[in-house]
Amino acid sequence: MAGHLVRRLNQISVAVFTDRMAAAGIDLTQVQFAALSALSARPGIPQAELAGAIAYDAATLGGVVDRLVAKGLVTRQTNPRDRRARVLFVAPAGRDLLNRARPVVRALQDDILSGLTPSERTTLLDLLKKTTNAGNAKSRAPLR
């Protein structure tokens, strides 16, 4: 069944990511890496927009951001357009860690897709993009 295989591939992805980050001495989860990457590309976005940018539940993302702030990797500032809201930025330590993590994440992609030829990997990624885009509206945390 497709759902079972997608769940298994996710388990493999999480395990490989966790092991590689630990081996590199980098204390980041997949969601923390995604959040830092998105903030790097879109500095100053509100937390709710960050949730949509990485397709993550906004309520749960609050804890992720809290941990990134506690680690000194992200800063919160008052939103100049809405003083009740906060905007997020990658702190200098977060930029440094992200620069260390990116090559590790690129390298571990081969382990996640082991057993596939380069052509099969391209096909799989194309099909995964197509099906996740088609089902995005069905998600409890759609990509925006």
Side-chain angles (χ1 to χ4, degrees), residues 20-96:
R20 290 297 178 87
M21 287 293 144
I26 299 172
D27 181 23
L28 280 181
T29 66
Q30 285 181 316
V31 175
Q32 290 172 344
F33 176 79
L36 280 175
S37 294
L39 285 174
S40 176
R42 297 173 58 189
I45 66 171
Q47 188 167 308
E49 284 184 39
L50 175 61
I54 64 171
Y56 209 73
D57 176 68
T60 308
L61 186 65
V64 173
V65 171
D66 288 345
R67 285 185 286 286
L68 290 171
V69 169
K71 291 179 180 182
L73 304 175
V74 168
T75 61
R76 286 186 179 111
Q77 296 177 14
T78 301
N79 187 336
R81 291 176 291 205
D82 179 357
R83 305 223 14 102
R84 297 167 295 166
R86 300 285 182 256
V87 291
L88 306 171
F89 295 89
V90 177
R95 274 192 297 280
D96 293 344

Side-chain angles (χ1 to χ4, degrees), residues 113-136:
L113 300 177
S114 64
L116 299 179
T117 66
S119 174
E120 290 169 333
R121 290 174 189 197
T122 299
T123 299
L124 176 62
L125 292 174
D126 288 344
L127 291 172
L128 287 170
K129 287 176 194 172
K130 183 176 182 178
T131 193
T132 54
N133 287 339
N136 188 54

